[in-house]
Amino acid sequence: MSGRGKEIMTAQKSLRKNAALNMTKTVMGLIFPLITFPYVSRVLEPSGIGKINFAHSIVSYFSMIAALGISTYGVREAAKVRDDKMQLTKFVKEILSINIISTIAAYILLFLSLLIVPRFSEYRRLLAVCGASILFVTLGVEWLYTALEEFAYITARSIIFQIISVVLMFVFIRTRDDYLKYAAIGVISSVGSNICNFIHAWKYVSFGECVQKELKKHIKPIFTLFAMSVAVSIYTALDTTMLGLISGDEQVGFYAAATRVNKIVVSVITAAVTVLLPRLSFYVSKHDEEHFSVLSAKALNAVILLAFPCAVGLSLVARPVILLLSGARYELAIPTMRIMNPIIIAISLSGLIGIQIFMPLGRERLTLISVILGAVINFALNLVLIPSKGALGAGIATVCAESSVTVFQIVCARRIFAFKKILPHAAQCVLASALMSVAVYFLLKTDMGIVLQLACSGLVGMAVYVLALLLLRNQFCLSL
């Protein structure tokens, strides 16, 4: 085997390992909330959960200001110089300097909003607690570890602090008035992780070394990505914010219960492809179009393989999932969960195309246009639907917004991907998902407990889906 072939095989093994580690981190990060959420949602009730989610939605805007577009830009550019410690040190110091300035600006704006906005008066303590995480996210330089593909460290660190947060949750959350403690525990988990990040970063970056900083050259690409993050935040956080302002805390609680599981599924799927950004950026810097194209096509096939059955399956098991995780008081969240499950497909595809593909190629402008389109649609539909339909209206608006983003990106990416070659794979996944849904539907008609229903539905559905793809001779499934 040639040296080039060995290098490619090593890279593929590394990517598989990175994907496995990142998925493990994501899955564990979702399992722990699943362990605590049934307990917390019952203790805090819909109004308590609604307060916390409303506060998080408000703080997310100031977090966005602090973050600018630094995370994605940092991963992309640091990956290109990761083999040169001097250049990497210079780049990290420049980006961290910009990030600290933006964080100070975010805190000033947060403080002013707490004084000026009357609606925030009853949430001041909660907003102050949630807002503490902004600084530590900045110091945590998570983007550096992604660029260096240090997924083993990220995974181990995350699991340790998640275990700590779970223990604290069961010890301190006792009554419906403990929502402030619940928010603080989440911040403590984040703070610990990010302090560890900053200390560990000295292994890769010489912070004590003096370098001449060139901040100006980073401003334009960072602000382009910042504009994109603003638009994304509008249709990811605005629904919760508008629900809280128009319909109240209880509707926010229903919406939080409805979106919790599909957000988990999206996170797991996107975790598998998030590891591609540093590698694809590296290929672009080396002008390696062949391996960029091959890796992109495999990632698209993988997303389709995972997203379709998850969206179909969750729609079928929405009722037992809501009743198990949140309790009977959240039954009004079931229709919202069912109508929102198509976003699993939409977000998974747009996350791959808009971030993992367009970003390394320097086509973030296309991503920006797509998310602005989604933000406009989301805002308009929220304004029309939330007053009459509450959480369900916010769900409909989100599905329409995410779908518009994905369709726009697919149209723009038709010159990068040979979508016609992928259509047979997608059609087989749709057919296999349909067969799976029949099996799961009849299982749910049986008279068994909720836990047993979900366990059997998951195992049988997965088995039917994989078997159907094998019988259809799906080439991607066979290659796996």
Side-chain angles (χ1 to χ4, degrees):
M1 182 181 292
S2 68
R4 180 63 172 164
K6 289 179 181 178
E7 179 187 334
I8 294 165
M9 284 191 68
T10 302
Q12 288 175 339
K13 288 179 182 178
S14 174
L15 277 174
R16 291 192 189 103
K17 180 182 176 182
N18 289 345
L21 285 167
N22 207 38
M23 286 184 72
T24 300
K25 177 180 80 77
T26 304
V27 169
M28 294 304 290
L30 301 169
I31 286 175
F32 287 121
L34 282 179
I35 293 170
T36 58
F37 190 72
Y39 171 74
V40 171
S41 62
R42 286 164 173 81
V43 173
L44 300 183
E45 299 182 357
S47 60
I49 294 294
K51 282 184 175 70
I52 292 166
N53 279 273
F54 179 70
H56 279 304
S57 75
I58 298 301
V59 170
S60 71
Y61 298 115
F62 300 97
S63 299
M64 173 186 64
I65 292 169
L68 292 178
I70 284 170
S71 181
T72 304
Y73 178 74
V75 172
R76 185 181 73 186
E77 299 303 316
K80 295 177 181 178
V81 296
R82 63 188 183 187
D83 294 333
D84 186 332
K85 188 170 183 178
M86 185 179 295
Q87 287 297 317
L88 182 63
T89 294
K90 183 175 182 295
F91 176 76
V92 170
K93 285 188 170 185
E94 290 169 349
I95 298 304
L96 192 55
S97 297
I98 296 171
N99 210 172
I100 289 171
I101 294 169
S102 64
T103 299
I104 293 170
Y107 273 119
I108 292 171
L109 292 172
L110 176 58
F111 178 73
L112 290 174
S113 70
L114 292 178
L115 294 176
I116 295 169
V117 181
R119 183 74 167 87
F120 292 169
S121 59
E122 63 180 289
Y123 294 94
R124 278 176 185 167
R125 287 197 302 164
L126 186 57
L127 288 167
V129 170
C130 295
S133 63
I134 297 173
L135 173 63
F136 294 98
V137 169
T138 297
L139 296 178
V141 290
E142 188 88 359
W143 49 268
L144 172 63
Y145 296 97
T146 304
L148 296 172
E149 301 189 48
E150 285 289 333
F151 292 100
Y153 162 75
I154 295 174
T155 303
R157 175 222 64 191
S158 297
I159 292 173
I160 289 169
F161 282 96
Q162 283 157 5
I163 292 171
I164 293 171
S165 68
V166 169
V167 174
L168 292 174
M169 205 81 69
F170 285 113
V171 170
F172 291 103
I173 308 303
R174 296 292 185 182
T175 71
R176 62 182 295 178
D177 296 322
D178 288 337
Y179 61 88
L180 201 62
K181 294 179 184 177
Y182 178 65
I185 289 168
V187 172
I188 289 168
S189 174
S190 171
V191 165
S193 296
N194 288 293
I195 289 174
C196 288
N197 274 8
F198 187 72
I199 294 170
H200 191 253
W202 286 74
K203 178 180 177 182
Y204 307 102
V205 179
S206 302
F207 284 107
E209 184 179 329
C210 293
V211 295
Q212 186 177 355
K213 297 173 185 174
E214 300 175 78
L215 305 185
K216 189 176 179 181
K217 66 180 181 181
H218 302 297
I219 299 301
K220 183 178 178 180
I222 283 176
F223 271 88
T224 299
L225 293 172
F226 173 61
M228 186 178 72
S229 68
V230 169
V232 169
S233 292
I234 288 175
Y235 70 85
T236 55
L238 191 64
D239 44 11
T240 301
T241 304
M242 292 181 73
L243 262 179
L245 293 173
I246 297 171
S247 299
D249 292 334
E250 191 173 59
Q251 285 296 317
V252 176
F254 293 143
Y255 190 73
T259 57
R260 179 167 292 271
V261 177
N262 55 39
K263 283 181 179 178
I264 286 172
V265 174
V266 169
S267 297
V268 173
I269 295 173
T270 53
V273 296
T274 298
V275 300
L276 298 178
L277 181 56
R279 186 59 55 86
L280 291 172
S281 298
F282 181 76
Y283 284 152
V284 168
S285 70
K286 300 298 181 185
H287 306 289
D288 193 343
E289 295 179 7
E290 179 186 350
H291 292 106
F292 182 95
S293 178
V294 169
L295 187 57
S296 300
K298 285 183 177 179
L300 185 60
N301 281 328
V303 166
I304 291 170
L305 183 78
L306 295 171
F308 278 90
C310 289
V312 173
L314 272 183
S315 295
L316 290 166
V317 300
R319 182 179 182 79
V321 164
I322 292 291
L323 294 179
L324 177 65
L325 294 182
S326 304
R329 293 196 62 180
Y330 291 81
E331 194 164 357
L332 290 176
I334 295 170
T336 304
M337 180 178 172
R338 283 184 174 142
I339 206 163
M340 287 193 71
N341 285 324
I343 70 170
I344 294 172
I345 299 170
I347 295 177
S348 298
L349 288 173
S350 63
L352 172 63
I353 298 170
I355 303 298
Q356 311 302 325
I357 306 302
F358 285 165
M359 291 298 174
L361 292 172
R363 299 184 183 180
E364 53 266 27
R365 181 173 168 273
L366 295 176
T367 307
L368 174 60
I369 294 170
S370 70
V371 295
I372 290 174
L373 172 66
V376 171
I377 291 172
N378 188 257
F379 176 77
L381 290 178
N382 274 333
L383 211 57
V384 172
L385 297 173
I386 286 178
S388 60
K389 299 183 182 297
L392 184 63
I396 295 169
T398 299
V399 170
C400 293
E402 294 290 0
S403 300
S404 67
V405 171
T406 304
V407 170
F408 181 89
Q409 290 183 1
I410 288 173
V411 171
C412 293
R414 66 189 185 278
R415 294 180 181 176
I416 301 171
F417 287 113
F419 283 107
K420 289 183 179 179
K421 293 182 180 179
I422 296 170
L423 284 177
H425 169 70
Q428 289 173 340
C429 290
V430 170
L431 180 57
S433 297
L435 294 172
M436 175 202 74
S437 67
V438 173
V440 172
Y441 175 81
F442 284 108
L443 261 176
L444 293 173
K445 291 295 183 182
T446 59
D447 190 19
M448 60 176 84
I450 290 177
V451 175
L452 194 58
Q453 266 190 345
L454 286 172
C456 291
S457 297
L459 292 172
V460 172
M462 190 185 306
V464 170
Y465 181 70
V466 173
L467 181 61
L469 287 177
L470 292 174
L471 291 174
L472 290 167
R473 306 298 296 171
N474 181 275
Q475 293 304 307
F476 186 74
C477 188
L478 289 170
S479 71
L480 292 177

